[in-house]
Amino acid sequence: MRFETDGKLSLWLFRDPPEDSFDDDILKTQFGITTYDEDMLEVGGSDEWETTPLKKVFKPMSYSESWAEAAIARAKELGIEECRRGFFILNFAYDPQKVQNKIPAEPVFLGVFDY
């Protein structure tokens, strides 16, 4: 399934450290994403997996001035105010309804945002 879409980013949050080391396979095995441009994947947050306010996680990430406010509002709707790490794929509009995988609770798929 291909989700490439210019001007969109798909964002996930880790509230808890992963049981295994974080790697790109999580996208395929847990979210059914079989193809994406690896150069468009960006990770933010604590290298030590410490709990960090979302604003602090998002601020150094690319184009955050255009999407962080909407992402924080969406997270607040879900009762999330902090995370350990976040990652996104630029030019990508993931749609969990188009994959057959059961979407895991962790990491949380926060949504698709304009940037």
Side-chain angles (χ1 to χ4, degrees):
M1 181 65 53
R2 299 186 68 89
F3 297 102
E4 289 85 356
T5 306
D6 289 343
K8 302 285 185 183
L9 68 82
S10 296
L11 178 64
W12 289 262
L13 302 176
F14 280 99
R15 295 172 294 175
D16 297 313
E19 292 179 17
D20 299 320
S21 64
F22 172 69
D23 62 29
D24 296 349
D25 274 352
I26 194 170
L27 295 171
K28 182 177 182 181
T29 59
Q30 294 190 23
F31 293 94
I33 298 170
T34 56
T35 182
Y36 65 96
D37 184 344
E38 291 183 20
D39 291 336
M40 297 294 159
L41 177 69
E42 185 172 332
V43 179
S46 170
D47 289 339
E48 293 79 34
W49 293 90
E50 295 173 0
T51 302
T52 307
L54 294 178
K55 190 172 189 174
K56 189 173 180 181
V57 171
F58 296 160
K59 186 171 182 158
M61 296 176 83
S62 297
Y63 310 106
S64 63
E65 66 282 348
S66 63
W67 58 265
E69 188 174 307
I72 290 168
R74 172 68 179 132
K76 191 171 186 175
E77 291 172 5
L78 299 174
I80 301 170
E81 295 185 7
E82 54 192 17
C83 71
R84 295 177 187 269
R85 304 217 54 192
F87 68 94
F88 65 64
I89 305 173
L90 288 172
N91 294 328
F92 201 81
Y94 178 69
D95 183 348
Q97 295 181 354
K98 292 185 177 181
V99 297
Q100 295 181 0
N101 298 47
K102 181 178 186 226
I103 304 305
E106 189 70 30
V108 174
F109 173 62
L110 195 59
V112 175
F113 302 93
D114 295 327
Y115 78 94

